[in-house]
Amino acid sequence: MSHFIIHVGEAEDSFPCKGEQTVLHALASIHHKQIRAGCHGGGCGVCRIRILKGDFVVGCMSRDHVNNEDEASGITLACRTWPRSHLVIQPMDKLPVRLTRRFSLLQIIPDDRVNSSRDEDVEAWRS
Amino acid sequence: MAVMRLGHVRLNVLSIEEALTHYTDILGLIETSRDPDGTVYLKGWDEWDKYSVILAPSDRAGVQHIAFKVEKDAELDAYRKRIESYGLEVEEREANALPFCGRSLFLRLPSGHECFLYAEKQFVGKSVGTLNPDPWPDGLKGAGAHWLDHVMLMCEVDPARGTNKVAENVDFFGKVLDFGLAEQVVAGPQGEIQAAAWMFCTTTPHDIAFGAGPRAGLHHISFFLEDWSDILKTADLLAKHRVKVDVTPQRHGITRGATTYFFDPSGNRNETFAGLGYLSQKDMPTITWNEENLWRGIFYHTGDIIGDFLGVYT
Ligand code: FES
Ligand SMILES: [Fe+2]
């Protein structure tokens, strides 16, 4: 199978992606940073991206998160998208900020055992 | 008069073939019936009614309805009155409106989720029978899940607008369906926001749970396994079959359950859950977790903040 390159937004970042690999899978090293990763099944909608350039195919996706209009405008779920050429994509950040901001359910606990790669997200959510 | 248990959940799936493989080969449920449109009915080997899970082909993921089994048919009339006087709309549906079931009551929970109450469902029997049974049957596939244990629903909570569907569901299940409140998470400066709740009608810590989210949805459905080694074995199986694992085997502080979380092929979260936790009784005092200890309650060993565990759902 062919190798394609996924460019993420304006950033320098680019990632190799085999044709049989999903875009979300190819972006594993930036999961929870530039792109959220959830169910990997097209159901939860957190991995929404916009494809700015390139050809791709999609699998089944929940219409709750990508309706026909969205799909026509290049919006897709990274976990249900396979490249057919090099792609330029943009993550569509849909963090659950409302919930977080409203009653800081995800506030940082002063405990140095709590220290994961996701802390940046938590920081982002707090602001 | 009593609600006996969570009778079934009807799940929306994006691909019925993939879902069926997941729920039968990985979880070990048994297919008992199929509709011409592809809808499939499944049960665990240790369950005796016709089904506890319905997989329905759809263009979206999530839960379509949940259903509870009550003890006697006549109780449906009493529940109908109670629900009406509580102020919720309720409709009676004729026998077989819920497939293989007697008449049922349909209502929308305060959170918006669809819910049925029914008293009769076609009997099939446990795979080991009732006369001098073996402890488990031959030929089980995958995890060999015993039964559907509980469901967790996400309910809209938005303090700025004064919306708290977690609290509204808790009130309804407590007052109308006589569920007990085993545990709760409270948030906000004065702990005034009930942000999650675990409620029971059996003697385990929860048959249904509610969590706060920006929109209504399904957090997970959970299947019972006998013990910790079954949980570990299931996680091996998930890895072997490259199922997307969400949370590796560990213990919850809340409910004390041993747990593993993963996703079905449509992104609906599943859990395999072992252990009684503790004996729940209606006179047991409710356990409260405050906001600072929320994550310790969820992931007892590490207490790690894993926001996506609450933020990712169908
Ligand atoms: S990760 Fe859930 S839809 Fe892609
Ligand atoms: Fe659970």
Side-chain angles (χ1 to χ4, degrees), chain B residues 243-305:
Chain B
V243 173
K244 179 61 191 166
V245 170
D246 188 34
V247 176
T248 53
Q250 54 185 286
R251 186 203 273 278
H252 286 310
I254 298 165
T255 76
R256 294 188 207 150
T259 178
T260 294
Y261 289 96
F262 47 99
F263 294 103
D264 81 6
S266 303
N268 296 308
R269 190 186 275 96
N270 292 168
E271 177 186 30
T272 49
F273 182 90
L276 164 70
Y278 48 79
L279 174 69
S280 291
Q281 301 277 275
K282 295 285 159 59
D283 62 344
M284 188 192 83
T286 296
I287 294 163
T288 297
W289 297 79
N290 51 28
E291 211 176 329
E292 303 80 75
N293 289 286
L294 162 67
W295 291 101
R296 190 65 64 185
I298 298 176
F299 304 119
Y300 181 64
H301 299 145
T302 60
D304 277 350
I305 298 171

Short mmCIF file of all heavy atoms in Angstrom, two decimals, chain B residues 243-305:
data_model
loop_
_atom_site.label_atom_id
_atom_site.label_comp_id
_atom_site.label_asym_id
_atom_site.label_seq_id
_atom_site.Cartn_x
_atom_site.Cartn_y
_atom_site.Cartn_z
N VAL B 243 -9.08 -4.42 19.70
CA VAL B 243 -10.24 -3.60 20.09
C VAL B 243 -9.69 -2.35 20.76
O VAL B 243 -8.71 -2.42 21.49
CB VAL B 243 -11.15 -4.39 21.06
CG1 VAL B 243 -12.27 -3.50 21.60
CG2 VAL B 243 -11.73 -5.61 20.35
N LYS B 244 -10.29 -1.20 20.51
CA LYS B 244 -9.80 0.04 21.11
C LYS B 244 -10.09 0.03 22.62
O LYS B 244 -11.25 0.11 23.04
CB LYS B 244 -10.48 1.24 20.44
CG LYS B 244 -10.05 2.59 21.01
CD LYS B 244 -8.57 2.84 20.85
CE LYS B 244 -8.10 4.05 21.66
NZ LYS B 244 -6.64 4.12 21.78
N VAL B 245 -9.02 -0.11 23.40
CA VAL B 245 -9.16 -0.14 24.86
C VAL B 245 -9.10 1.29 25.38
O VAL B 245 -8.27 2.08 24.98
CB VAL B 245 -8.06 -1.00 25.49
CG1 VAL B 245 -8.04 -0.85 27.01
CG2 VAL B 245 -8.25 -2.48 25.11
N ASP B 246 -10.01 1.60 26.28
CA ASP B 246 -10.08 2.94 26.86
C ASP B 246 -9.36 2.96 28.20
O ASP B 246 -8.58 3.87 28.48
CB ASP B 246 -11.56 3.30 27.03
CG ASP B 246 -11.79 4.74 27.43
OD1 ASP B 246 -11.00 5.60 26.99
OD2 ASP B 246 -12.75 5.00 28.17
N VAL B 247 -9.63 1.99 29.03
CA VAL B 247 -9.04 1.93 30.37
C VAL B 247 -8.64 0.48 30.64
O VAL B 247 -9.46 -0.43 30.54
CB VAL B 247 -10.07 2.39 31.43
CG1 VAL B 247 -9.48 2.23 32.83
CG2 VAL B 247 -10.49 3.83 31.19
N THR B 248 -7.34 0.27 30.97
CA THR B 248 -6.87 -1.09 31.25
C THR B 248 -7.38 -1.54 32.63
O THR B 248 -7.86 -0.72 33.41
CB THR B 248 -5.33 -1.13 31.20
OG1 THR B 248 -4.84 -0.12 32.06
CG2 THR B 248 -4.82 -0.90 29.78
N PRO B 249 -7.25 -2.83 32.95
CA PRO B 249 -7.84 -3.34 34.19
C PRO B 249 -7.41 -2.57 35.44
O PRO B 249 -6.23 -2.31 35.64
CB PRO B 249 -7.32 -4.79 34.25
CG PRO B 249 -7.19 -5.17 32.82
CD PRO B 249 -6.68 -3.92 32.13
N GLN B 250 -8.35 -2.20 36.21
CA GLN B 250 -8.08 -1.53 37.47
C GLN B 250 -9.34 -1.49 38.32
O GLN B 250 -10.34 -2.10 37.99
CB GLN B 250 -7.54 -0.13 37.26
CG GLN B 250 -8.38 0.78 36.39
CD GLN B 250 -7.64 2.10 36.19
OE1 GLN B 250 -7.58 2.91 37.09
NE2 GLN B 250 -7.09 2.30 35.00
N ARG B 251 -9.24 -0.78 39.46
CA ARG B 251 -10.37 -0.74 40.36
C ARG B 251 -10.96 0.66 40.45
O ARG B 251 -10.25 1.65 40.44
CB ARG B 251 -9.94 -1.18 41.77
CG ARG B 251 -11.13 -1.28 42.72
CD ARG B 251 -10.70 -1.15 44.15
NE ARG B 251 -10.28 -2.40 44.79
CZ ARG B 251 -11.13 -3.31 45.32
NH1 ARG B 251 -12.41 -3.14 45.24
NH2 ARG B 251 -10.66 -4.37 45.92
N HIS B 252 -12.28 0.70 40.52
CA HIS B 252 -12.96 1.96 40.81
C HIS B 252 -13.00 2.17 42.32
O HIS B 252 -13.23 1.21 43.07
CB HIS B 252 -14.43 1.89 40.37
CG HIS B 252 -14.67 1.97 38.91
ND1 HIS B 252 -14.13 2.93 38.11
CD2 HIS B 252 -15.44 1.21 38.10
CE1 HIS B 252 -14.56 2.76 36.87
NE2 HIS B 252 -15.34 1.71 36.82
N GLY B 253 -12.81 3.41 42.77
CA GLY B 253 -13.11 3.73 44.17
C GLY B 253 -14.63 3.69 44.34
O GLY B 253 -15.17 3.05 45.23
N ILE B 254 -15.30 4.38 43.43
CA ILE B 254 -16.76 4.39 43.41
C ILE B 254 -17.27 3.00 43.02
O ILE B 254 -16.80 2.45 42.01
CB ILE B 254 -17.26 5.46 42.39
CG1 ILE B 254 -16.80 6.86 42.82
CG2 ILE B 254 -18.77 5.40 42.23
CD1 ILE B 254 -16.90 7.92 41.75
N THR B 255 -18.10 2.41 43.79
CA THR B 255 -18.69 1.06 43.63
C THR B 255 -17.70 -0.08 43.91
O THR B 255 -18.09 -1.24 43.96
CB THR B 255 -19.32 0.78 42.24
OG1 THR B 255 -18.28 0.54 41.28
CG2 THR B 255 -20.23 1.88 41.77
N ARG B 256 -16.39 0.23 44.04
CA ARG B 256 -15.33 -0.75 44.32
C ARG B 256 -15.17 -1.82 43.23
O ARG B 256 -14.53 -2.84 43.45
CB ARG B 256 -15.58 -1.48 45.65
CG ARG B 256 -15.48 -0.59 46.86
CD ARG B 256 -15.54 -1.46 48.12
NE ARG B 256 -16.06 -0.72 49.24
CZ ARG B 256 -16.74 -1.27 50.24
NH1 ARG B 256 -16.98 -2.55 50.25
NH2 ARG B 256 -17.18 -0.51 51.23
N GLY B 257 -15.78 -1.62 42.10
CA GLY B 257 -15.73 -2.64 41.05
C GLY B 257 -14.36 -2.77 40.41
O GLY B 257 -13.60 -1.81 40.33
N ALA B 258 -14.05 -3.98 39.94
CA ALA B 258 -12.88 -4.20 39.09
C ALA B 258 -13.36 -4.02 37.66
O ALA B 258 -14.44 -4.50 37.30
CB ALA B 258 -12.33 -5.60 39.29
N THR B 259 -12.58 -3.33 36.84
CA THR B 259 -13.13 -2.83 35.58
C THR B 259 -12.12 -2.81 34.43
O THR B 259 -10.92 -2.72 34.66
CB THR B 259 -13.65 -1.39 35.81
OG1 THR B 259 -14.15 -0.88 34.58
CG2 THR B 259 -12.55 -0.47 36.30
N THR B 260 -12.63 -2.88 33.22
CA THR B 260 -11.89 -2.55 32.00
C THR B 260 -12.88 -1.88 31.04
O THR B 260 -14.02 -2.33 30.95
CB THR B 260 -11.36 -3.81 31.28
OG1 THR B 260 -10.39 -4.41 32.11
CG2 THR B 260 -10.69 -3.46 29.96
N TYR B 261 -12.45 -0.81 30.38
CA TYR B 261 -13.31 -0.12 29.42
C TYR B 261 -12.74 -0.24 28.01
O TYR B 261 -11.53 -0.20 27.82
CB TYR B 261 -13.43 1.36 29.75
CG TYR B 261 -14.24 1.66 30.97
CD1 TYR B 261 -13.61 1.85 32.20
CD2 TYR B 261 -15.62 1.76 30.91
CE1 TYR B 261 -14.35 2.13 33.34
CE2 TYR B 261 -16.37 2.04 32.04
CZ TYR B 261 -15.73 2.23 33.25
OH TYR B 261 -16.46 2.50 34.38
N PHE B 262 -13.63 -0.32 27.06
CA PHE B 262 -13.22 -0.39 25.65
C PHE B 262 -14.39 0.07 24.79
O PHE B 262 -15.47 0.37 25.32
CB PHE B 262 -12.79 -1.82 25.29
CG PHE B 262 -13.72 -2.90 25.77
CD1 PHE B 262 -14.65 -3.48 24.90
CD2 PHE B 262 -13.69 -3.35 27.09
CE1 PHE B 262 -15.52 -4.48 25.33
CE2 PHE B 262 -14.57 -4.34 27.53
CZ PHE B 262 -15.49 -4.91 26.65
N PHE B 263 -14.16 0.16 23.48
CA PHE B 263 -15.20 0.68 22.59
C PHE B 263 -15.65 -0.40 21.61
O PHE B 263 -14.83 -1.16 21.12
CB PHE B 263 -14.68 1.88 21.81
CG PHE B 263 -14.38 3.08 22.67
CD1 PHE B 263 -13.07 3.40 23.00
CD2 PHE B 263 -15.40 3.89 23.14
CE1 PHE B 263 -12.80 4.51 23.79
CE2 PHE B 263 -15.14 5.00 23.93
CZ PHE B 263 -13.83 5.32 24.26
N ASP B 264 -16.94 -0.42 21.32
CA ASP B 264 -17.42 -1.31 20.26
C ASP B 264 -17.07 -0.65 18.91
O ASP B 264 -16.61 0.49 18.89
CB ASP B 264 -18.91 -1.66 20.46
CG ASP B 264 -19.88 -0.58 19.97
OD1 ASP B 264 -19.46 0.42 19.36
OD2 ASP B 264 -21.10 -0.76 20.20
N PRO B 265 -17.27 -1.34 17.80
CA PRO B 265 -16.82 -0.78 16.51
C PRO B 265 -17.54 0.51 16.10
O PRO B 265 -17.07 1.22 15.22
CB PRO B 265 -17.11 -1.90 15.51
CG PRO B 265 -17.18 -3.15 16.33
CD PRO B 265 -17.74 -2.74 17.65
N SER B 266 -18.67 0.83 16.74
CA SER B 266 -19.35 2.10 16.45
C SER B 266 -18.97 3.19 17.44
O SER B 266 -19.50 4.29 17.38
CB SER B 266 -20.87 1.91 16.52
OG SER B 266 -21.28 0.90 15.63
N GLY B 267 -18.09 2.86 18.37
CA GLY B 267 -17.65 3.86 19.33
C GLY B 267 -18.45 3.91 20.61
O GLY B 267 -18.23 4.78 21.45
N ASN B 268 -19.39 2.98 20.79
CA ASN B 268 -20.12 2.91 22.06
C ASN B 268 -19.19 2.27 23.11
O ASN B 268 -18.60 1.23 22.85
CB ASN B 268 -21.37 2.04 21.92
CG ASN B 268 -22.38 2.64 20.95
OD1 ASN B 268 -22.74 3.80 21.06
ND2 ASN B 268 -22.81 1.84 19.97
N ARG B 269 -19.09 2.93 24.28
CA ARG B 269 -18.17 2.40 25.29
C ARG B 269 -18.79 1.19 25.99
O ARG B 269 -19.96 1.20 26.35
CB ARG B 269 -17.82 3.49 26.32
CG ARG B 269 -16.68 3.08 27.25
CD ARG B 269 -16.41 4.08 28.36
NE ARG B 269 -15.53 5.17 27.98
CZ ARG B 269 -15.93 6.38 27.57
NH1 ARG B 269 -17.20 6.66 27.50
NH2 ARG B 269 -15.05 7.31 27.26
N ASN B 270 -17.97 0.16 26.14
CA ASN B 270 -18.36 -1.04 26.90
C ASN B 270 -17.50 -1.11 28.15
O ASN B 270 -16.40 -0.58 28.18
CB ASN B 270 -18.05 -2.33 26.12
CG ASN B 270 -18.89 -2.54 24.87
OD1 ASN B 270 -18.58 -3.42 24.07
ND2 ASN B 270 -19.95 -1.77 24.69
N GLU B 271 -17.99 -1.82 29.14
CA GLU B 271 -17.19 -2.12 30.32
C GLU B 271 -17.39 -3.59 30.65
O GLU B 271 -18.48 -4.13 30.46
CB GLU B 271 -17.68 -1.27 31.51
CG GLU B 271 -16.95 -1.56 32.82
CD GLU B 271 -17.53 -0.80 34.03
OE1 GLU B 271 -18.75 -0.52 34.04
OE2 GLU B 271 -16.76 -0.52 34.95
N THR B 272 -16.33 -4.24 31.11
CA THR B 272 -16.53 -5.52 31.80
C THR B 272 -16.20 -5.25 33.25
O THR B 272 -15.24 -4.56 33.57
CB THR B 272 -15.67 -6.67 31.23
OG1 THR B 272 -14.33 -6.22 31.11
CG2 THR B 272 -16.18 -7.10 29.87
N PHE B 273 -17.02 -5.80 34.11
CA PHE B 273 -17.08 -5.39 35.50
C PHE B 273 -17.16 -6.66 36.35
O PHE B 273 -17.90 -7.57 36.01
CB PHE B 273 -18.35 -4.55 35.65
CG PHE B 273 -18.62 -3.97 37.00
CD1 PHE B 273 -18.12 -2.71 37.33
CD2 PHE B 273 -19.38 -4.66 37.93
CE1 PHE B 273 -18.39 -2.15 38.56
CE2 PHE B 273 -19.65 -4.10 39.16
CZ PHE B 273 -19.15 -2.84 39.48
N ALA B 274 -16.37 -6.72 37.41
CA ALA B 274 -16.41 -7.92 38.25
C ALA B 274 -16.51 -7.55 39.71
O ALA B 274 -16.07 -6.48 40.13
CB ALA B 274 -15.16 -8.78 38.03
N GLY B 275 -17.10 -8.45 40.45
CA GLY B 275 -17.19 -8.26 41.90
C GLY B 275 -18.52 -7.64 42.29
O GLY B 275 -19.11 -6.88 41.54
N LEU B 276 -18.96 -7.98 43.47
CA LEU B 276 -20.21 -7.43 43.99
C LEU B 276 -20.03 -5.96 44.34
O LEU B 276 -20.95 -5.17 44.23
CB LEU B 276 -20.63 -8.22 45.24
CG LEU B 276 -21.68 -7.57 46.15
CD1 LEU B 276 -23.04 -7.58 45.45
CD2 LEU B 276 -21.76 -8.28 47.48
N GLY B 277 -18.80 -5.58 44.72
CA GLY B 277 -18.59 -4.25 45.27
C GLY B 277 -18.92 -4.29 46.74
O GLY B 277 -18.06 -4.49 47.58
N TYR B 278 -20.20 -4.15 47.04
CA TYR B 278 -20.68 -4.32 48.41
C TYR B 278 -22.18 -4.53 48.34
O TYR B 278 -22.79 -4.32 47.29
CB TYR B 278 -20.34 -3.10 49.29
CG TYR B 278 -20.69 -1.77 48.66
CD1 TYR B 278 -22.00 -1.30 48.65
CD2 TYR B 278 -19.71 -0.99 48.04
CE1 TYR B 278 -22.33 -0.09 48.07
CE2 TYR B 278 -20.03 0.23 47.45
CZ TYR B 278 -21.34 0.67 47.46
OH TYR B 278 -21.67 1.86 46.87
N LEU B 279 -22.75 -4.92 49.44
CA LEU B 279 -24.20 -5.14 49.48
C LEU B 279 -24.91 -3.80 49.60
O LEU B 279 -24.65 -3.03 50.52
CB LEU B 279 -24.54 -6.03 50.69
CG LEU B 279 -26.03 -6.25 50.96
CD1 LEU B 279 -26.66 -7.12 49.87
CD2 LEU B 279 -26.23 -6.87 52.33
N SER B 280 -25.79 -3.52 48.66
CA SER B 280 -26.56 -2.28 48.72
C SER B 280 -27.95 -2.58 49.25
O SER B 280 -28.58 -3.54 48.83
CB SER B 280 -26.71 -1.67 47.33
OG SER B 280 -25.47 -1.21 46.88
N GLN B 281 -28.41 -1.75 50.16
CA GLN B 281 -29.75 -1.87 50.71
C GLN B 281 -30.34 -0.47 50.78
O GLN B 281 -29.60 0.51 50.89
CB GLN B 281 -29.68 -2.48 52.13
CG GLN B 281 -29.04 -3.86 52.17
CD GLN B 281 -30.00 -4.98 51.85
OE1 GLN B 281 -30.71 -5.47 52.70
NE2 GLN B 281 -30.03 -5.39 50.58
N LYS B 282 -31.65 -0.40 50.76
CA LYS B 282 -32.30 0.90 50.71
C LYS B 282 -31.98 1.78 51.92
O LYS B 282 -32.00 3.00 51.82
CB LYS B 282 -33.84 0.74 50.59
CG LYS B 282 -34.30 0.08 49.30
CD LYS B 282 -34.22 0.99 48.10
CE LYS B 282 -34.17 0.24 46.77
NZ LYS B 282 -35.33 -0.63 46.51
N ASP B 283 -31.65 1.16 53.05
CA ASP B 283 -31.34 1.98 54.23
C ASP B 283 -29.85 2.28 54.37
O ASP B 283 -29.41 2.81 55.38
CB ASP B 283 -31.86 1.28 55.50
CG ASP B 283 -31.21 -0.07 55.74
OD1 ASP B 283 -30.60 -0.62 54.79
OD2 ASP B 283 -31.30 -0.58 56.86
N MET B 284 -29.06 1.91 53.35
CA MET B 284 -27.62 2.20 53.40
C MET B 284 -27.39 3.70 53.16
O MET B 284 -27.98 4.27 52.26
CB MET B 284 -26.91 1.40 52.30
CG MET B 284 -25.40 1.47 52.37
SD MET B 284 -24.61 0.83 50.86
CE MET B 284 -24.72 2.27 49.81
N PRO B 285 -26.53 4.31 53.98
CA PRO B 285 -26.28 5.73 53.74
C PRO B 285 -25.54 5.95 52.42
O PRO B 285 -24.67 5.17 52.05
CB PRO B 285 -25.42 6.17 54.93
CG PRO B 285 -24.82 4.92 55.46
CD PRO B 285 -25.77 3.80 55.14
N THR B 286 -25.90 7.02 51.72
CA THR B 286 -25.27 7.34 50.43
C THR B 286 -23.81 7.77 50.64
O THR B 286 -23.50 8.51 51.56
CB THR B 286 -26.05 8.49 49.75
OG1 THR B 286 -27.37 8.02 49.47
CG2 THR B 286 -25.37 8.94 48.46
N ILE B 287 -22.95 7.26 49.78
CA ILE B 287 -21.52 7.62 49.80
C ILE B 287 -21.33 8.85 48.91
O ILE B 287 -21.86 8.89 47.80
CB ILE B 287 -20.67 6.45 49.28
CG1 ILE B 287 -20.76 5.26 50.24
CG2 ILE B 287 -19.22 6.88 49.04
CD1 ILE B 287 -20.30 3.95 49.64
N THR B 288 -20.57 9.84 49.40
CA THR B 288 -20.35 11.05 48.61
C THR B 288 -18.87 11.25 48.30
O THR B 288 -18.02 11.07 49.17
CB THR B 288 -20.89 12.29 49.37
OG1 THR B 288 -22.31 12.13 49.53
CG2 THR B 288 -20.61 13.58 48.61
N TRP B 289 -18.58 11.59 47.06
CA TRP B 289 -17.23 11.94 46.61
C TRP B 289 -17.25 13.41 46.27
O TRP B 289 -18.14 13.86 45.53
CB TRP B 289 -16.85 11.11 45.38
CG TRP B 289 -16.80 9.65 45.67
CD1 TRP B 289 -17.86 8.80 45.76
CD2 TRP B 289 -15.64 8.86 45.95
NE1 TRP B 289 -17.43 7.52 46.07
CE2 TRP B 289 -16.06 7.53 46.18
CE3 TRP B 289 -14.26 9.14 46.00
CZ2 TRP B 289 -15.18 6.50 46.49
CZ3 TRP B 289 -13.39 8.11 46.30
CH2 TRP B 289 -13.84 6.81 46.54
N ASN B 290 -16.29 14.16 46.80
CA ASN B 290 -16.27 15.56 46.41
C ASN B 290 -15.39 15.76 45.19
O ASN B 290 -14.68 14.84 44.77
CB ASN B 290 -15.91 16.48 47.59
CG ASN B 290 -14.64 16.01 48.28
OD1 ASN B 290 -13.80 15.38 47.65
ND2 ASN B 290 -14.52 16.30 49.55
N GLU B 291 -15.45 16.96 44.65
CA GLU B 291 -14.81 17.23 43.37
C GLU B 291 -13.31 16.91 43.37
O GLU B 291 -12.80 16.38 42.40
CB GLU B 291 -15.03 18.71 43.06
CG GLU B 291 -15.12 19.01 41.62
CD GLU B 291 -15.44 20.48 41.40
OE1 GLU B 291 -16.12 21.08 42.25
OE2 GLU B 291 -14.98 21.01 40.39
N GLU B 292 -12.63 17.22 44.47
CA GLU B 292 -11.17 17.01 44.50
C GLU B 292 -10.84 15.53 44.42
O GLU B 292 -9.73 15.15 44.07
CB GLU B 292 -10.55 17.56 45.79
CG GLU B 292 -10.78 19.03 46.07
CD GLU B 292 -12.15 19.28 46.67
OE1 GLU B 292 -12.33 18.98 47.85
OE2 GLU B 292 -13.05 19.76 45.94
N ASN B 293 -11.79 14.70 44.82
CA ASN B 293 -11.51 13.26 44.83
C ASN B 293 -12.23 12.50 43.73
O ASN B 293 -12.25 11.28 43.72
CB ASN B 293 -11.89 12.68 46.20
CG ASN B 293 -10.91 13.14 47.25
OD1 ASN B 293 -9.78 12.67 47.29
ND2 ASN B 293 -11.30 14.11 48.04
N LEU B 294 -12.79 13.26 42.80
CA LEU B 294 -13.52 12.65 41.70
C LEU B 294 -12.69 11.60 40.97
O LEU B 294 -13.14 10.48 40.75
CB LEU B 294 -13.96 13.76 40.72
CG LEU B 294 -14.37 13.31 39.32
CD1 LEU B 294 -15.65 12.49 39.39
CD2 LEU B 294 -14.57 14.50 38.41
N TRP B 295 -11.46 11.98 40.61
CA TRP B 295 -10.66 11.06 39.79
C TRP B 295 -10.14 9.89 40.59
O TRP B 295 -9.94 8.79 40.06
CB TRP B 295 -9.54 11.81 39.05
CG TRP B 295 -10.15 12.70 38.01
CD1 TRP B 295 -10.36 14.04 38.09
CD2 TRP B 295 -10.71 12.27 36.76
NE1 TRP B 295 -11.02 14.48 36.96
CE2 TRP B 295 -11.24 13.43 36.14
CE3 TRP B 295 -10.82 11.03 36.10
CZ2 TRP B 295 -11.87 13.37 34.87
CZ3 TRP B 295 -11.44 10.99 34.86
CH2 TRP B 295 -11.96 12.15 34.26
N ARG B 296 -9.92 10.09 41.88
CA ARG B 296 -9.56 8.97 42.77
C ARG B 296 -10.74 8.01 42.83
O ARG B 296 -10.58 6.79 42.88
CB ARG B 296 -9.21 9.54 44.15
CG ARG B 296 -8.60 8.56 45.11
CD ARG B 296 -7.25 8.04 44.69
NE ARG B 296 -6.20 9.04 44.62
CZ ARG B 296 -4.97 8.80 44.18
NH1 ARG B 296 -4.62 7.58 43.79
NH2 ARG B 296 -4.08 9.76 44.10
N GLY B 297 -11.92 8.55 42.80
CA GLY B 297 -13.12 7.70 42.82
C GLY B 297 -13.25 6.88 41.55
O GLY B 297 -13.68 5.74 41.58
N ILE B 298 -12.86 7.49 40.42
CA ILE B 298 -13.00 6.77 39.15
C ILE B 298 -11.85 5.79 38.95
O ILE B 298 -12.07 4.61 38.70
CB ILE B 298 -13.10 7.77 37.98
CG1 ILE B 298 -14.35 8.66 38.14
CG2 ILE B 298 -13.17 7.02 36.65
CD1 ILE B 298 -14.50 9.74 37.09
N PHE B 299 -10.61 6.31 39.03
CA PHE B 299 -9.43 5.44 38.86
C PHE B 299 -8.72 5.39 40.20
O PHE B 299 -7.85 6.21 40.48
CB PHE B 299 -8.52 5.98 37.76
CG PHE B 299 -9.24 6.15 36.44
CD1 PHE B 299 -9.35 7.39 35.83
CD2 PHE B 299 -9.83 5.05 35.81
CE1 PHE B 299 -10.03 7.54 34.63
CE2 PHE B 299 -10.51 5.21 34.61
CZ PHE B 299 -10.61 6.45 34.02
N TYR B 300 -9.07 4.42 41.02
CA TYR B 300 -8.66 4.45 42.41
C TYR B 300 -7.13 4.42 42.59
O TYR B 300 -6.58 5.14 43.42
CB TYR B 300 -9.29 3.28 43.18
CG TYR B 300 -8.88 3.32 44.62
CD1 TYR B 300 -9.26 4.40 45.42
CD2 TYR B 300 -8.05 2.35 45.16
CE1 TYR B 300 -8.85 4.49 46.73
CE2 TYR B 300 -7.63 2.43 46.48
CZ TYR B 300 -8.03 3.50 47.26
OH TYR B 300 -7.60 3.59 48.54
N HIS B 301 -6.43 3.62 41.80
CA HIS B 301 -4.98 3.46 42.04
C HIS B 301 -4.18 4.71 41.73
O HIS B 301 -3.35 5.11 42.52
CB HIS B 301 -4.44 2.27 41.23
CG HIS B 301 -5.09 0.98 41.62
ND1 HIS B 301 -5.36 -0.03 40.74
CD2 HIS B 301 -5.58 0.55 42.81
CE1 HIS B 301 -5.96 -1.03 41.37
NE2 HIS B 301 -6.11 -0.69 42.62
N THR B 302 -4.43 5.31 40.58
CA THR B 302 -3.60 6.45 40.16
C THR B 302 -4.24 7.79 40.48
O THR B 302 -3.54 8.78 40.67
CB THR B 302 -3.38 6.41 38.64
OG1 THR B 302 -4.67 6.49 38.00
CG2 THR B 302 -2.67 5.15 38.20
N GLY B 303 -5.54 7.85 40.49
CA GLY B 303 -6.22 9.14 40.66
C GLY B 303 -5.97 10.06 39.48
O GLY B 303 -6.22 11.26 39.56
N ASP B 304 -5.47 9.52 38.37
CA ASP B 304 -5.14 10.36 37.21
C ASP B 304 -6.37 11.06 36.63
O ASP B 304 -7.46 10.49 36.58
CB ASP B 304 -4.54 9.50 36.09
CG ASP B 304 -3.05 9.27 36.29
OD1 ASP B 304 -2.47 9.93 37.18
OD2 ASP B 304 -2.49 8.44 35.56
N ILE B 305 -6.13 12.27 36.20
CA ILE B 305 -7.17 13.02 35.50
C ILE B 305 -7.17 12.60 34.05
O ILE B 305 -6.21 12.85 33.33
CB ILE B 305 -6.89 14.54 35.57
CG1 ILE B 305 -6.90 15.01 37.02
CG2 ILE B 305 -7.91 15.31 34.74
CD1 ILE B 305 -6.43 16.43 37.20
#
